[in-house]
Amino acid sequence: MRRLLEALVHTRAFEDRMHAMYRSGDLLGSYYSGNWHEAIGVGVMAAMRADDYFCPLHRDVGAHLMRGMPPEQVMASFMGRAIGPTGGRDGTLHYGRLDLNTYNPPSHIPANFPVATGMAFAAKYRGEDRVAVAMCGDGSTSRADFHEAVNIAGAMQLPVVFVIQNNQYAYSTPLPLQTHSASFAIKAVAYGMPGIKCDGTDVVAVHDAATECVERARSGGGPSILEAVTMRMHGHAEHDPGDYVLPELKETWAKRDPVALFEERMVAAGIVSQDEAETIREDARKWAIEARKTALAAPMPDPSNIEDGVYAD
């Protein structure tokens, strides 16, 4: 429980620093905020093993950090610096780390769903005790690759978990204009697999639901769809003011801050004291500041190496 709290607080501290860095011009492009998504990335990652395949979304920075990505390298990716995972060749989170079993979140989400399905097929074919987990947003479920990936995973009973982050908007398109379905979890019925809907602002609820899905996949029970419901509190990216969102909707969700709520829960349960909670927050703030300093001090990539990594040796 303490590890979950620390992961949530560090994720929020990282996000806060990135928002400030965007506004101060430190980043080369935009930033895709994961505010109010922290419990999803952290909860799902805590339910997985290090050797499981992970195909994240661009709002899952908490999961990247839990997987072992150094914060300064994640920041450097958005800054085009040489110490970033792609050596400065990408300005967002479009990178993978094979040593961390984390695979590129592509721009055209959910193009990572067929990838996860293929990984799950490989694991089953090889007889490996591994599970694949992929993330997407609610708007991604309208694309054909969502159907293709989930359909073949169901037909072949592959060890994969499909996580849908329902944050109410597909860019500027509100949920009622995306689908007439009562939920995204219920769509699992059409593919012959279980569907679970959970509170995406409750890290314990996410962890428990993800654990159920992961264990089912690992034990040979096949795939699942997990819908985690939250709200996107920023625009699609930091360049988007998000002024199409109804103010009353934001006001309602503002009361469901996943980080603050879990901290209050931990203090009330006596797992941490109020002073300890404040120390965790302050340590995370300093950690994020130090990561920024390291990223800013890193060199830009050497143009002579621009063709490196394009082709296999």
Side-chain angles (χ1 to χ4, degrees):
M1 294 287 278
R2 189 183 180 100
R3 187 166 70 96
L4 291 177
L5 175 63
E6 291 175 348
L8 287 176
V9 173
H10 277 74
T11 302
R12 177 62 59 82
F14 183 95
E15 295 272 6
D16 289 347
R17 190 56 45 195
M18 291 298 284
H19 298 155
M21 290 167 68
Y22 172 77
R23 286 167 176 76
S24 64
D26 289 341
L27 311 184
L28 292 181
S30 195
Y31 181 68
Y32 301 84
S33 175
N35 270 181
W36 268 239
H37 293 69
E38 295 95 344
I40 303 176
V42 169
V44 169
M45 184 53 60
M48 298 172 62
R49 289 196 327 222
D51 62 337
D52 288 333
Y53 299 109
F54 184 51
C55 297
L57 179 63
H58 51 278
R59 304 194 197 282
D60 296 327
V61 69
H64 285 255
L65 297 172
M66 286 186 74
R67 266 271 151 133
M69 275 297 303
E72 62 273 13
Q73 288 190 19
V74 182
M75 290 178 176
S77 186
F78 284 90
M79 299 163 70
R81 304 281 174 158
I83 66 169
T86 64
R89 290 167 175 77
D90 178 64
T92 61
L93 284 179
H94 299 155
Y95 61 73
R97 280 282 299 270
L98 301 186
D99 58 324
L100 298 178
N101 291 306
T102 300
Y103 300 86
N104 305 48
S107 180
H108 296 87
I109 305 161
N112 55 338
F113 269 38
V115 174
T117 295
M119 291 171 173
F121 175 83
K124 184 173 182 177
Y125 181 79
R126 296 168 180 163
E128 296 175 344
D129 181 29
R130 301 171 79 180
V131 173
V133 177
M135 304 267 209
C136 80
D138 46 271
S140 303
T141 64
S142 299
R143 284 175 49 95
D145 35 10
F146 172 87
H147 165 74
E148 293 163 358
V150 179
N151 184 61
I152 195 170
M156 302 187 73
Q157 287 293 282
L158 300 178
V160 58
V161 180
F162 301 107
V163 181
I164 301 170
Q165 299 189 14
N166 178 358
N167 62 17
Q168 315 304 313
Y169 279 85
Y171 206 117
S172 58
T173 305
L175 198 57
L177 296 182
Q178 296 182 55
T179 180
H180 196 56
S181 178
S183 72
F184 292 101
I186 200 173
K187 296 187 178 187
V189 176
Y191 301 102
M193 65 182 69
I196 300 177
K197 184 177 180 179
C198 71
D199 181 355
T201 65
D202 182 343
V203 69
V204 175
V206 175
H207 171 267
D208 291 349
T211 297
E212 180 181 338
C213 294
V214 169
E215 289 183 353
R216 179 185 298 113
R218 201 181 306 283
S219 64
S224 308
I225 287 179
L226 172 58
E227 176 186 358
V229 184
T230 187
M231 177 67 192
R232 194 190 71 207
M233 295 300 285
H234 288 233
H236 173 69
E238 289 303 285
H239 61 265
D240 169 26
D243 49 10
Y244 42 80
V245 179
L246 296 174
E248 53 266 31
L249 187 61
K250 277 195 172 182
E251 290 172 9
T252 298
W253 281 93
K255 301 171 184 176
R256 298 176 62 181
D257 181 338
V259 183
L261 288 176
F262 191 61
E263 180 183 294
E264 292 170 8
R265 181 175 174 181
M266 292 280 282
V267 172
I271 298 174
V272 297
S273 67
Q274 188 62 55
D275 287 345
E276 286 177 311
E278 291 174 5
T279 298
I280 291 172
R281 269 188 273 118
E282 181 60 18
D283 288 347
R285 187 185 71 84
K286 293 177 180 177
W287 164 85
I289 290 174
E290 286 303 312
R292 174 184 178 270
K293 290 179 181 178
T294 301
L296 280 173
M300 297 299 286
D302 183 348
S304 67
N305 300 326
I306 194 169
E307 294 182 355
D308 289 1
V310 178
Y311 298 102
D313 292 336

